[in-house]
């Protein structure tokens, strides 16, 4: 499964309007891929909307990105956003494809989006180590997706769902205390370029 994470930086107070326009753009008859998540940042860099879309193959992803690039109003928000970033990813091969909450049972409403830089040669070891460790870690909270970047600096993103901020803090503390996270040997393959963002679903998000 292939994914795109798009980040729109918005003027204060425009989130609801932007979300409606993102829904219209991503669900129009000529749109490709599937809208899976649409969050607004709560902790981290503020006033950003993060949009997750899924694609069956790389060609479909590229075609939709081209449609977005050529659009007079990308994501329907050309007259709203201050900045737009789009990044392509491939899901770790052993993970199930991301599905909406109604199908997967995965729900927030607190989502943590974590991005890690990967050292040279560290991509496959990271995928393998996460495969070993994630099942135990998911006893504490579900991993929505882990995916490696297809462009730019070597990095990967994983997204976790929690019922509350307190539950997130407790799950992370328990994972460390029980010795099940981080994956044993995993940090050795990562750089210090690490970013964590807490985001909440917008009204249009299939992941609730």
């Amino acid at each position: 499964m292939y994914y795109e994470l798009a980040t729109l930086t918005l003027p204060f107070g425009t989130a609801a309007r932007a979300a409606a326009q993102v829904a219209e753009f991503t669900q129009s008859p000529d749109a490709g891929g599937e809208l899976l998540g649409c969050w607004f940042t709560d902790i981290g860099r503020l006033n950003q909307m993060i949009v997750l879309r899924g694609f069956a193959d790389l060609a479909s992803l590229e075609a939709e990105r081209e449609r977005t690039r050529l659009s007079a109003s990308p994501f329907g928000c050309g007259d709203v956003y201050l900045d737009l970033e789009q990044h392509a990813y491939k899901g770790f091969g052993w993970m199930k494809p991301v599905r909406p909450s109604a199908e997967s049972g995965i729900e927030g409403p607190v989502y943590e989006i974590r991005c890690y830089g990967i050292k040279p040669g560290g991509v496959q070891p990271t995928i393998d180590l996460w495969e070993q460790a994630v099942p135990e870690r998911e006893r504490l909270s579900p991993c929505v997706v882990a995916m490696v970047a297809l462009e730019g600096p070597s990095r990967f993103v994983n997204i976790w769902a929690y019922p509350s901020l307190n539950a997130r803090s407790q799950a992370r503390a328990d994972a460390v205390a029980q010795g099940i996270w981080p994956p044993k040997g995993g940090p050795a393959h990562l750089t210090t370029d690490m970013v964590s963002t807490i985001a909440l679903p917008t009204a249009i998000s299939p992941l609730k």
Side-chain angles (χ1 to χ4, degrees):
M1 191 78 175
Y2 291 84
Y3 301 96
E4 179 194 71
L5 268 185
T7 302
L8 295 83
T9 301
L10 302 170
F12 183 75
T14 62
R17 172 187 169 191
Q21 292 171 192
V22 166
E24 183 177 354
F25 183 85
T26 58
Q27 296 169 9
S28 69
D30 59 337
E34 179 182 11
L35 177 65
L36 296 169
C38 182
W39 302 279
F40 202 66
T41 54
D42 186 65
I43 298 176
R45 187 176 177 188
L46 301 181
N47 297 310
Q48 290 192 326
M49 182 169 289
I50 300 173
V51 180
L52 175 67
R53 294 192 286 176
F55 301 85
D57 52 57
L58 187 57
S60 300
L61 186 155
E62 289 296 343
E64 177 61 11
R65 296 185 81 190
E66 182 69 3
R67 182 181 81 97
T68 305
R69 281 192 291 268
L70 297 177
S71 172
S73 182
F75 286 92
C77 295
D79 60 338
V80 181
Y81 69 73
L82 304 175
D83 185 55
L84 169 63
E85 294 185 12
Q86 294 173 264
H87 299 285
Y89 295 86
K90 182 179 181 180
F92 287 7
W94 49 268
M95 288 207 77
K96 294 180 180 179
V98 179
R99 303 305 308 141
S101 294
E103 297 177 32
S104 66
I106 295 176
E107 294 184 336
V110 172
Y111 287 82
E112 183 174 24
I113 303 167
R114 298 179 69 88
C115 182
Y116 299 84
I118 304 177
K119 294 178 180 177
V123 171
Q124 192 60 52
T126 296
I127 293 172
D128 294 340
L129 290 169
W130 255 246
E131 182 177 15
Q132 296 171 26
V134 164
E136 281 295 301
R137 177 63 177 78
E138 284 197 304
R139 292 191 296 103
L140 302 175
S141 62
C143 183
V144 177
V145 68
M147 51 192 184
V148 64
L150 297 178
E151 58 205 352
S154 183
R155 66 198 185 282
F156 80 102
V157 168
N158 41 194
I159 301 176
W160 301 85
Y162 300 93
S164 68
L165 282 173
N166 286 340
R168 169 191 173 270
S169 297
Q170 188 62 58
R172 290 180 60 79
D174 289 348
V176 173
Q178 295 173 29
I180 60 177
W181 203 262
K184 292 178 175 60
H189 299 286
L190 305 180
T191 72
T192 56
D193 183 13
M194 302 178 182
V195 178
S196 177
T197 300
I198 300 295
L200 307 178
T202 66
I204 70 163
S205 182
L207 282 166
K208 302 298 184 183

